[in-house]
Amino acid sequence: MQKVYELKNIDETRAWARDFAKTLRAPCVVALHGDLGMGKSEIARTIIQTLRGTDTVVPSPTFTIVQNYDGISHFDLYRIEDKSELVEIGLPYAIQNDITLIEWPEIASDILPDNTIHVYLTGDGDMRKLVIE
């Protein structure tokens, strides 16, 4: 089943992410797809802060690759070049145990569970279209 949301600005995107966060229960995987600047990190940040508190500091894991927040794992696979690295960074463990948020999930496609929630982001200016599968 596919759901489509058209969000006018960052506030609507954050509101959507807050509502979406409340539906997540571990273990589950959310794969965030989209070009640079589409809001993948902002959605992940909002989900984490909704579930762990608004004062939770959520830096982008672009350079650290993974950040953990007590049962929530946030991965950024942009810099992963070899699938063998996925085991080294703990992705299979997170998938089995945590709410796992994955930016740039394409390299991990063959290990993502069938029930992965795929969120596809496209947009123009502040407008975002989210398609969830």
Side-chain angles (χ1 to χ4, degrees):
M1 180 165 59
Q2 190 179 76
K3 292 184 182 179
V4 178
Y5 299 87
E6 292 196 10
L7 307 168
K8 295 178 186 147
N9 54 46
I10 191 67
D11 292 332
E12 285 190 12
T13 302
R14 287 180 183 136
W16 175 86
R18 281 191 294 274
D19 290 342
F20 178 65
K22 296 171 188 172
T23 70
L24 301 176
R25 302 288 177 270
C28 72
V29 177
V30 179
L32 299 163
H33 304 265
D35 290 336
L36 287 169
M38 285 295 108
K40 298 179 299 293
S41 293
E42 191 60 40
I43 287 173
R45 181 177 296 110
T46 302
I47 290 169
I48 294 163
Q49 289 178 334
T50 299
L51 299 175
R52 295 293 175 257
T54 55
D55 60 339
T56 303
V57 176
V58 184
S60 173
T62 299
F63 296 104
T64 58
I65 301 175
V66 63
Q67 297 284 338
N68 293 296
Y69 305 90
D70 189 29
I72 302 173
S73 292
H74 181 196
F75 290 84
D76 184 324
L77 304 182
Y78 186 76
R79 296 183 313 120
I80 298 293
E81 296 180 3
D82 188 295
K83 291 180 183 187
S84 67
E85 294 176 70
L86 300 174
V87 172
E88 293 173 26
I89 62 172
L91 184 59
Y93 176 86
I95 287 171
Q96 292 178 355
N97 296 283
D98 296 346
I99 293 173
T100 305
L101 310 173
I102 306 173
E103 297 183 47
W104 305 100
E106 293 76 16
I107 194 166
S109 62
D110 58 344
I111 68 166
L112 296 179
D114 291 340
N115 64 347
T116 296
I117 301 165
H118 292 273
V119 178
Y120 297 90
L121 295 131
T122 56
D124 185 30
D126 290 339
M127 180 74 123
R128 292 292 177 266
K129 179 179 178 182
L130 274 71
V131 177
I132 301 178
E133 295 178 354

